[in-house]
Amino acid sequence: MANVDFTQLEKELGITFSDQELLKQAFTHRSYLNENRHIRLSHNERLEFLGDAVLELVVTDYLFNKYTDKAEGELTAFRSALVNTQTLAGVATRLGLNNYLLLSHGEAKDTGRARSYIMANTMEALIGALYVDQGYTRAQAFVLEHVVHLIDDIIASKKFVDAKSYFQERAQDEIGITPAYKLVKEIGPDHDKKFTIGVFLVHELIATGEGKSKQEAEQEAATKALEMKGWDKNNEPPV
C-alpha cells in the first residue's frame, strides 16, 4: 500500500472508522489496483454507488423540509447544483481529500476535469464508507456539515438556474435560433462513462461540456456557451 496515513485523515475529518479498511477502499481508484495486483483491497466504485444514493437522500430530505413553498422542479434544480461534479470536487478539495487518493501513476498526473471526476467520486465513496461503518445518522451529519450548507450561496448566486433552458431562451430572444446539442465524444467503460457534448447554433459550435451523463455534459456546455456569448446567467432567469 502507498505510504498514506489514513489516521491523519480521520483526525482532519473528526471521524474514527471502526473498519479503517473501508476508509482505504473509499480512496482506492481502480487504476491503482491495476498497477498493484498484489494488494488485497477493493476499489471504491461500489462505495461510490452507495454514497451517491445516501447523498441524494440526505440532500432531498433537507431541501424538502427547508423549502416547503418550492415546487418539485425548483427543488430538483437545487439538488442538482449541490450534488454535481463541480460542487462535490470543490468540497473534496477543501477537505484535502486529494492528499489521500490511491491512483495509478498515470491517473496521478491528470489534472483539471479528469481529477475533478475522481475527487467527486471519492467524495461519494467516502459518504458510502461512512454509512456502512457508522450508519445513516453519521453519514447524514457529514453531508449536512460539508455539502448542504452550500445551498445558500448556490441560491444567492443563482448557480441552480438551468443553464440549458436559459441558453435556449436567450438564443431564441437574441438571434431567433434554437440551440442543438450533439455528442462529440464518449469514453470509458460502461460503469464510468465520460461524455463530451457540443452545443451548436445552426452549424456553429459555441462550446463543449463534459459530464458523467449526457445531461450533465449538456448543462456544462450551455454554461460555457452563455459565457462565450456574453449572456450573463446572473440576470433574472427566464420565467
Side-chain angles (χ1 to χ4, degrees):
M1 174 86 52
N3 187 24
V4 177
D5 184 4
F6 285 98
T7 59
Q8 180 60 33
L9 174 61
E10 289 178 307
K11 291 177 184 177
E12 292 171 3
L13 295 178
I15 300 170
T16 301
F17 273 72
S18 299
D19 181 1
Q20 200 181 71
E21 289 300 299
L22 274 172
L23 179 59
K24 293 177 183 177
Q25 183 181 341
F27 285 80
T28 303
H29 193 263
R30 176 186 286 268
S31 66
Y32 180 78
L33 296 182
N34 289 339
E35 283 190 356
N36 299 273
R37 297 183 182 275
H38 63 284
I39 293 177
R40 296 189 172 222
L41 190 67
S42 298
H43 55 69
N44 64 5
E45 288 165 16
R46 281 173 53 84
L47 289 175
E48 176 196 339
F49 168 78
L50 178 62
D52 174 66
V54 174
L55 171 66
E56 186 156 314
L57 176 57
V58 174
V59 171
T60 301
D61 180 63
Y62 176 86
L63 295 175
F64 178 82
N65 287 292
K66 180 177 175 65
Y67 300 104
T68 56
D69 60 329
K70 300 296 185 184
E72 179 269 344
E74 198 162 8
L75 291 175
T76 299
F78 290 173
R79 182 178 64 195
S80 296
L82 277 171
V83 304
N84 66 26
T85 298
Q86 181 179 358
T87 299
L88 293 182
V91 173
T93 299
R94 286 191 290 275
L95 292 176
L97 302 191
N98 190 61
N99 299 326
Y100 298 90
L101 295 175
L102 296 175
L103 305 169
S104 68
H105 290 92
E107 292 286 355
K109 294 176 182 178
D110 283 340
T111 58
R113 170 61 60 175
R115 180 54 62 90
S116 292
Y117 284 128
I118 292 173
M119 295 288 283
N121 292 345
T122 302
M123 185 71 187
E124 291 176 341
L126 175 59
I127 293 168
L130 188 56
Y131 172 79
V132 173
D133 192 71
Q134 301 183 27
Y136 177 78
T137 300
R138 188 64 187 90
Q140 178 189 41
F142 180 82
V143 173
L144 291 175
E145 178 182 358
H146 296 294
V147 181
V148 172
H149 72 91
L150 299 171
I151 191 60
D152 292 335
D153 175 66
I154 284 171
I155 292 175
S157 61
K158 295 180 180 172
K159 294 177 183 176
F160 67 91
V161 175
D162 182 346
K164 186 177 175 182
S165 297
Y166 190 78
F167 183 65
Q168 177 170 317
E169 176 121 346
R170 289 301 300 268
Q172 291 172 336
D173 288 347
E174 299 288 343
I175 56 180
I177 296 173
T178 298
Y181 293 83
K182 298 178 182 178
L183 180 64
V184 175
K185 185 169 60 174
E186 177 181 333
I187 61 172
D190 288 342
H191 69 271
D192 191 25
K193 287 286 187 186
K194 302 292 188 298
F195 299 93
T196 301
I197 300 286
V199 57
F200 293 80
L201 294 175
V202 189
H203 301 297
E204 180 187 2
L205 175 63
I206 306 302
T208 61
E210 297 179 347
K212 293 190 290 185
S213 68
K214 291 180 181 178
Q215 292 80 8
E216 184 178 337
E218 287 172 351
Q219 289 293 334
E220 182 177 275
T223 298
K224 291 182 177 179
L226 285 164
E227 296 172 358
M228 292 291 294
K229 301 297 288 188
W231 297 336
D232 188 1
K233 187 166 168 276
N234 289 322
N235 290 334
E236 287 299 312
V239 178

